[in-house]
C-alpha cells in the first residue's frame, strides 16, 4: 500500500478582498485630505477621486463579506464602479507624486498627517501587486521609510499590530495577503493506493484534478464541478468508494488561512453525499454526510468566530482572529449563503456514529415532511399523516424537515433535489391543479394519494377522496367519530364550539347554515331557493356564515364565532348550531368529495350535498340529502323543508349510519389508525407503507430533476 497526496488549492482571501482592503484604506486616507483642504488643483483632484472611491467602496463593502464572498445581486456593476474609482485614485495620486509628492496635500502635522502617511504606505503596498509587495516585505521597513520613525523606538511592529488600531490590523492583513502565494494549498488529501505500480484509478485522478480549486485572480473555484463529479462517479464498487470517501473526510487542511473556503468545500461535499446519490443511501453514506457536514460547520465556526483557531497560521504579526463568541445559530440565520446553506443541511438528527461495516439493515428508513406544511391554526397535516401511516413501524424513523429523507410526505412543500420516495397527499386539488403533475408524472418513486392520479403511469395511485384525507388537518376529530352515533358527534361538536368547556344543554338548533368561501352560482342559487322555501313555510331562512349567500349582511353579522382553530374545525363548531348544512362541492369531478360533507357530519348536522356520485361509495345515502338525486333544485329544496318540519323523518337522517357499510368506505379512512379496513382487508396505511418501503428498497427513486435550483452556485462564492 502506498500513499498518494493531493492538494486542494485556492487563493485566500480571494482577489476581491484586495480591492475591499484598498477601498477601506482610501476611506481612512481621504479624511486627512479633506481635513487639510488644500486648494491646489492636484490635491483637489486626489480628494475628489478619494471621496468618490470611498463612496463606491462603501457600497461594495456593504454587499460583501470580510472573506470576500459577495451578495449576488447587482454585484458586478457595483464592483466595476468600485474598481474604477480605486483606479482613478491611483491615477490622481501618481500625478500629484510626480509633481512634488502627495504629502503636500496633507495637514502640516498631527495625528491626521501620521495616519495618512501610514495609510498611504499600506495602499502603495497593496496596489503594487503581490510580487512587488512581497519583495518589499523582505526589507526591514516593509511599509516604507519614515513610518516606524513616527513611533517611539520601544514599540515593535508586533506591538503596534496588537494595539487594536484599525490601521495596524489592516497592515497585518495586507502583509498576510501579500506574503501568500497566488494559490495556497488548501487541503491535503491522502489517498491510499492498493497497488502503487497501477497508480490511481481513473476517477481518483480526475477528482484530483477537479479539486484543484483555482480561486481569485480571475479564475473561479469550481466546487460545483466537484459535486457533479461525485454525483456522477460514485456508483461503483462499495469498498473503493468507502475508502475514497474516508480519504476526503480525513483530509488535513494544508493551509488554514481561509477557513471559510474549507467550510464551503465541505458543504459542497456534504451536499453531494446527502442529496445527489443515485441509489438509496447506504448507512455509510449517512455517516459520511454527517461527518463532512460536521467538518463544514467547524470550519465555518473557526472562520467566523476564531474558535479553535490554533491551527491558523495566518498573520506573521499575529493579528489574532476576532473573538466574537457568537453561536453558530446566529450565523445560520445570517444572510451569508454558505451559512444558511449549512443550516439547511444541518441534520436534525445526528446519527450515532456506529463503526463502519455494520449491517445495512440497522439503518432506519427516514420518513420526513416539511414543517411549512402547517396550516392555519398550527396544525401540520403532513406530520399527522406521516405519524399515522409510518409511526412505530419497525425500521422507520420520523424526522421533520429532512430534505434527504428516504420517504417524503408532501402537498406543496416538496424537497429540493430529492432522491427518495415521494408521497403526494391530495389536499382537494389533484396533481394537475396543484402544479405537481409534471414532477409526479416523471418521477418513478412517486405515490399519489388522492382522488385523481398523476398523468402517465409512473406514479402509483391510491384513489382516496379528500373527505377522508382531511382528517389529517383536523385538530379535534379522528375518523372513527363518523362511525359513532349522532349523540357522540353532537356533544363533541358542541364541546368544541364552547371552547372545550362543559357541554351546555342542547340549544335549539337553527334551521340551516351556508358557509362557503367561493360563491359559485350553483350554490348561491340553491341557497336563495332554500331560504325562500323555508320562509314561505314558517321557518327562518338559511343563515350565511361567510361572505357568500346574503350580500346585505355585514361580515360581523355573518360570523359571530371567532376563527378559533383551522377552517375545518371552525366549520364544525359553526355548523353545530344547525339542523342542516349546505355542503355543495365547487364542481363535479371524479371522486371529488371534499372535507365539506365531513364538516357537517362531525357537527351533527344533516349534510345537504351536491357533487360527484362517488359520495355514495363513501357515505350512506340515508344520512344525507343528495341534491343531485332530485329532478331539480326546487324539488330538493322542498324535500329539505319537508324533513325540517317532520321530526320523525329528520331523526331518521340523524340516526342513519354515516359511512356506507358495503364496499370500501372505511378503507378510505384507514390511513388513520383509528379506522380499520372492512372484512379484515389490509388498511390503506398498511398498503401505503408497504408500497413506499418497497420502492425505497428497490431503490427506484433516482435523482429527482432539480425542481428548485439551489439558491446559488458554490462557484459564485468565489467570484
Ligand atoms: C474615473 O475617472 C473618469 C475620468 O475622469 C470618469 O469618467 C469616471 O467616471 C471615473 N470613474 C469612477 C468610477 O469614479
Ligand atoms: C376496494 O378497494 C380495493 C383495494 O383494497 C380495490 O381493489 C377495489 O376495487 C375497491 N372496490 C371498490 C368498489 O371501489
Amino acid at each position: 500500500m502506498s500513499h498518494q497526496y493531493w492538494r486542494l488549492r485556492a487563493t485566500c482571501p480571494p482577489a476581491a478582498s484586495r480591492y475591499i482592503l484598498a477601498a477601506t484604506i482610501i476611506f481612512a486616507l481621504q479624511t486627512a485630505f479633506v481635513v487639510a483642504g488644500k486648494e491646489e488643483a492636484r490635491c483637489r483632484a486626489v480628494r475628489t477621486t478619494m471621496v468618490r472611491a470611498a463612496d463606491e467602496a462603501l457600497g461594495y463593502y456593504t454587499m460583501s463579506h470580510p472573506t470576500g464572498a459577495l451578495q449576488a445581486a447587482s454585484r458586478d456593476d457595483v464592483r466595476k464602479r468600485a474598481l474604477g474609482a480605486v483606479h482613478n485614485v491611483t491615477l490622481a495620486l501618481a500625478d500629484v507624486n510626480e509633481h512634488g509628492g502627495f504629502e503636500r496635500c496633507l495637514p502640516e502635522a498631527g495625528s491626521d498627517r501620521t495616519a495618512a502617511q501610514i495609510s498611504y504606505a499600506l495602499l502603495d503596498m497593496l496596489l503594487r501587486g503581490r510580487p512587488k509587495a512581497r519583495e518589499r516585505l523582505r526589507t526591514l521597513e516593509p511599509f516604507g521609510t519614515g513610518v516606524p520613525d513616527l513611533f517611539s523606538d520601544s514599540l515593535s511592529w508586533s506591538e503596534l499590530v496588537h494595539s487594536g488600531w484599525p490601521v495596524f490590523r489592516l497592515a497585518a492583513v495586507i502583509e498576510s495577503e501579500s506574503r501568500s502565494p497566488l494559490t495556497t494549498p488548501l487541503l491535503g488529501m491522502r489517498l491510499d493506493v492498493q497497488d502503487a505500480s497501477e497508480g490511481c484509478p481513473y476517477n481518483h485522478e480526475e477528482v484530483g484534478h477537479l479539486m484543484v480549486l483555482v480561486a481569485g485572480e480571475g479564475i473561479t473555484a469550481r466546487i460545483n464541478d466537484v459535486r457533479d463529479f461525485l454525483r456522477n462517479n460514485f456508483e461503483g464498487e462499495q469498498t473503493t468508494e468507502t475508502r475514497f470517501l474516508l480519504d476526503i473526510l480525513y483530509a488535513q487542511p494544508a493551509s488554514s488561512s481561509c477557513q471559510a473556503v474549507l467550510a464551503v468545500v465541505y458543504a459542497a461535499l456534504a451536499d453531494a453525499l446527502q442529496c445527489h446519490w443515485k441509489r438509496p443511501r447506504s448507512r455509510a453514506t449517512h455517516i459520511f454526510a454527517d461527518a463532512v457536514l460536521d467538518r463544514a460547520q467547524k470550519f465555518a465556526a473557526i472562520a467566523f468566530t476564531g474558535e479553535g483557531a490554533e491551527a491558523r497560521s495566518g498573520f506573521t504579526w499575529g493579528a489574532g482572529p476576532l473573538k466574537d463568541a457568537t453561536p453558530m445559530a446566529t450565523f445560520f440565520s445570517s444572510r451569508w449563503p454558505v451559512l444558511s446553506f449549512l443550516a439547511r443541511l444541518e441534520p436534525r438528527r445526528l446519527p450515532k456514529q456506529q463503526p463502519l461495516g455494520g449491517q445495512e439493515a440497522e439503518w432506519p428508513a427516514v420518513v420526513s415532511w416539511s414543517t411549512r406544511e402547517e396550516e392555519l391554526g398550527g396544525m401540520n397535516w403532513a406530520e399527522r399523516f406521516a405519524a399515522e401511516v409510518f409511526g412505530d413501524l419497525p425500521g422507520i424513523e420520523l424526522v421533520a424537515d429532512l430534505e434527504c429523507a428516504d420517504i417524503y410526505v408532501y402537498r406543496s412543500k416538496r424537497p429540493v433535489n430529492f432522491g427518495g420516495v415521494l408521497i403526494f397527499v391530495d389536499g382537494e386539488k389533484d396533481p394537475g391543479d396543484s402544479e405537481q403533475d409534471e414532477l409526479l408524472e416523471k418521477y418513478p418513486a412517486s405515490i399519489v394519494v388522492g382522488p385523481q392520479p398523476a398523468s402517465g403511469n409512473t406514479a402509483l395511485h391510491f384513489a382516496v377522496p379528500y373527505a377522508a384525507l382531511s382528517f389529517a388537518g383536523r385538530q379535534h376529530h379522528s375518523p372513527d367519530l363518523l362511525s359513532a352515533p349522532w349523540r357522540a358527534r353532537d356533544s363533541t361538536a358542541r364541546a368544541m364550539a364552547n371552547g372545550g368547556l362543559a357541554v351546555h344543554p342542547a340549544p335549539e338548533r337553527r334551521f340551516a347554515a351556508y358557509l362557503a368561501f367561493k360563491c359559485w352560482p350553483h350554490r348561491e342559487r340553491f341557497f336563495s331557493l332554500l331560504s325562500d322555501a323555508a320562509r314561505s313555510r314558517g321557518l327562518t331562512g338559511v343563515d350565511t356564515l361567510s361572505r357568500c349567500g346574503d350580500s346585505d349582511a355585514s361580515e360581523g353579522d355573518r360570523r359571530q364565532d371567532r376563527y378559533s382553530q383551522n377552517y375545518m374545525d371552525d366549520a364544525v363548531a359553526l355548523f353545530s348550531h344547525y339542523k342542516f348544512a349546505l355542503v355543495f362541492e365547487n364542481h363535479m369531478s371524479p371522486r371529488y368529495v371534499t372535507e365539506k360533507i365531513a364538516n357537517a357530519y362531525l357537527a351533527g348536522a344533516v349534510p345537504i350535498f351536491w357533487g360527484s356520485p362517488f359520495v355514495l361509495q363513501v357515505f350512506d345515502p340515508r344520512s344525507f340529502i343528495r341534491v343531485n338525486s332530485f329532478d331539480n333544485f326546487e324539488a330538493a329544496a322542498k324535500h329539505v323543508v319537508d324533513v325540517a318540519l317532520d321530526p320523525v323523518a329528520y331523526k331518521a337522517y340523524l340516526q342513519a349510519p354515516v359511512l356506507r357499510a358495503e364496499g370500501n368506505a372505511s378503507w378510505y379512512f384507514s390511513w388513520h389508525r383509528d379506522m380499520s379496513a372492512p372484512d379484515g382487508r389490509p388498511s390503506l396505511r398498511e398498503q401505503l407503507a408497504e408500497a413506499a418501503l418497497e420502492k425505497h428498497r428497490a431503490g427506484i427513486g433516482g435523482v429527482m430533476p432539480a425542481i428548485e435550483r439551489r439558491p446559488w452556485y458554490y462557484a459564485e462564492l468565489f467570484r
Side-chain angles (χ1 to χ4, degrees), residues 58 72 222 288 313 394 430 482 506 523 656:
L58 204 63
R222 302 298 297 273
F288 283 129
S313 58
D430 59 38
L482 293 177
R523 281 205 284 249

Side-chain angles (χ1 to χ4, degrees), residues 617 663-664 667-668 681-682 687:
Q617 293 188 37
N664 284 347
W667 179 83
Y668 298 121
R681 276 192 285 146
Q687 293 179 349

Side-chain angles (χ1 to χ4, degrees), residues 662-680:
E662 319 79 54
N664 284 347
S666 53
W667 179 83
Y668 298 121
F669 296 85
S670 68
W671 61 269
H672 194 288
R673 273 148 205 253
D674 290 346
M675 209 67 155
S676 44
D679 319 327

Side-chain angles (χ1 to χ4, degrees), residues 49 52-53 56 80-89 91:
T49 56
R52 174 81 187 269
E56 298 289 355
K80 268 190 207 129
R81 278 208 312 275
L83 297 189
V86 170
H87 182 67
N88 283 0
V89 172
L91 293 182

Side-chain angles (χ1 to χ4, degrees), residues 296-320:
Q297 294 182 352
K298 275 206 187 91
F299 282 113
I302 295 170
F304 296 102
T305 65
E307 303 273 313
E310 323 67 62
R312 217 170 133 123
S313 58
F315 307 131
T316 313
W317 287 333

Side-chain angles (χ1 to χ4, degrees), residues 452-651:
Q452 298 274 39
S455 307
N457 292 318
T458 310
L460 185 63
H461 180 217
F462 288 91
V464 183
Y466 187 56
L469 297 171
S470 70
F471 279 83
R474 296 178 190 274
Q475 199 114 34
H476 296 277
H477 304 100
S478 87
D480 61 333
L481 195 61
L482 293 177
S483 310
W486 176 76
R487 197 163 298 287
R489 283 179 277 129
D490 175 59
S491 60
T492 308
R494 279 186 300 111
M496 205 179 92
N498 292 324
L501 302 173
V503 179
H504 296 304
E508 188 59 24
R509 285 188 181 238
R510 292 170 63 81
F511 168 54
Y514 178 33
L515 173 69
F517 290 91
K518 281 189 189 143
C519 310
W520 293 102
H522 64 293
R523 281 205 284 249
E524 295 285 283
R525 194 163 82 78
F526 190 83
F527 157 78
S528 312
L529 278 171
L530 182 60
S531 257
D532 293 348
R535 284 205 196 91
S536 74
R537 292 170 65 187
L539 295 169
T540 58
V542 178
D543 289 359
T544 54
L545 304 179
S546 61
R547 72 181 85 146
C548 299
D550 186 352
S551 56
D552 292 340
S554 73
E555 188 78 10
D557 291 341
R558 293 175 212 160
R559 176 178 270 298
Q560 295 93 356
D561 293 61
R562 67 209 153 99
Y563 249 129
S564 52
Q565 296 109 8
N566 63 47
Y567 73 99
M568 290 188 287
D569 290 334
D570 255 9
V572 173
L574 292 169
F575 286 165
S576 71
H577 300 293
Y578 294 90
K579 290 186 167 123
F580 297 91
L582 252 72
V583 287
F584 277 38
E585 296 299 353
N586 295 350
H587 55 84
M588 189 80 84
S589 80
R591 298 191 201 87
Y592 186 72
V593 176
T594 69
E595 83 292 350
K596 299 179 185 68
I597 186 168
N599 293 342
Y601 281 126
L602 293 170
V606 172
I608 303 170
F609 178 88
W610 177 96
S612 165
F614 181 74
V615 72
L616 295 171
Q617 293 188 37
V618 186
F619 297 106
D620 192 309
R622 292 168 294 175
S623 67
F624 70 105
I625 293 168
R626 193 166 77 92
V627 172
N628 313 70
S629 68
F630 291 85
D631 288 343
N632 50 45
F633 276 12
E634 286 78 2
K638 177 177 179 304
H639 178 73
V640 174
V641 178
D642 288 347
V643 173
L645 293 170
D646 178 350
V648 176
Y650 182 67
K651 200 168 172 195

